[in-house]
Amino acid sequence: MMKKSFSYSLTAALAGLLFGFDTVVISGADQRLQELWNTSDLFHGWLIMASALWGTVLGALFGNHPTDQWGRKKTLLFIGLCFFISAIGSALANHTYVFIFFRFVGGIAIGVSTIAVPAYITEISKAELRGRRVALYQFSIVLGILVAMSSNYALQFIEDAAWRWMLAVEALPALFYCILVVKLDESPKWLGMKGRRKQAVEIADRIGLDWQEKKESLKELKPSLSFFRRNKRALFWVIALAFFNQFSGINAILYYAPRIFETAGLATSAAFLGSVGIGVVNLVFTLLGMYLIDRWGRKKLMHLGSIGYILSLTVIAIAFYAEWSGIIVVWSTMAFIAAHAVGQGTVIWVFIAEVFPVESRAQGQAVGSSVHWVLAAAIPAFIPVLFTSVGPAVVFSGFALMMVLQLLWVYFIMPETKGKKAAVKES
């Protein structure tokens, strides 16, 4: 029974692989697309590079509706189909706006997945396993990032069509994911919320939920009309966490790693190889975060990650100010990625899924995810302009300052949700 719960969690979490791949694969096409379509830094940043991220904002804003109305399983299938359509369409695009549209579709899938996947995994897992199970989603994201960076490095030598092949590769895992999702059971808690008690009990028994968790699955709950009033503290926590997540600069680095390394003085091929190194470090330290999250708790990992952020971002900023070797920038960036992977990267989707009660979970995740993705779109969109106008040293100094504020927020305000049977309650 526990094996079935794990296999279901793993299948749902594989949406993260598509998420990670789709998010980062564009970094390989970044400068080639700007040359091909001869666009300005602002147009390139805001519409070509950030097109998927704007789709992600829409998916995060409205993803709670299919998650609650269609059910978790049908929503997961929708996510896979969107990724497939996006990969094929963007790879074949011959016009900027066609490309932007299909990348936008993939972004919608990312945004919806940040709501549906953690909700589904949280609802089919025992409380003491929730952290590690939801962290499978983050592990899949970083695996997808590594696959995208490795694929980009391998395909960069194809002449003019390299960027098309980079984007097309995603279609195969997207199709495979859709096939796997068809075999999943629906979340028993969602079935219970919809009054389908018999099915809820059958699935709860099949996946090995304990008696208390089974009783929670049988509650016929309806979303509260006073959602914002009843969940104001939880909303503050997830909004703050999402805000700090993006002001670390994580998406700016993932989207523009080759450009950052070339700005620091590395050759193009070495810059792509450095990006692969980022993917490897991300994967290794995500595994460490998954191992520690249910042992140390969420706050300790956030403390560790915040300190790592501050140190690594400070060194990167100084390296650009002092024009140190590009190798120092590469190693400091890898340290930054390690700090992110073991801290915010592991914690964010677990925390957002845990902090709301089941009847408010999808809506609460939609709020947290929306803030996350609005900033995730806006910050990378400005990077080409900021690098040209104020320079990378100022940009990374700003990120380091924001992480000092995150450390203070974690220490004084962020609650611990480790091992709690129910969400943190409003007091």
Side-chain angles (χ1 to χ4, degrees), residues 157-176:
F157 304 105
I158 299 174
E159 298 294 328
D160 292 338
W163 68 271
R164 295 187 185 277
W165 285 103
M166 289 175 183
L167 294 163
V169 166
E170 186 184 5
L172 288 177
L175 183 60
F176 180 64

Side-chain angles (χ1 to χ4, degrees), residues 23 39 42 91 100 104 135 156 189 235 251 261 268 315 319 365 410 422 425:
T23 298
T39 53
L42 195 61
I100 288 166
F104 187 84
Q156 66 172 306
K189 291 187 179 180
L235 286 167
N251 267 24
F261 294 157
T268 300
V315 173
Q365 287 176 272
V410 171
K425 300 294 185 184

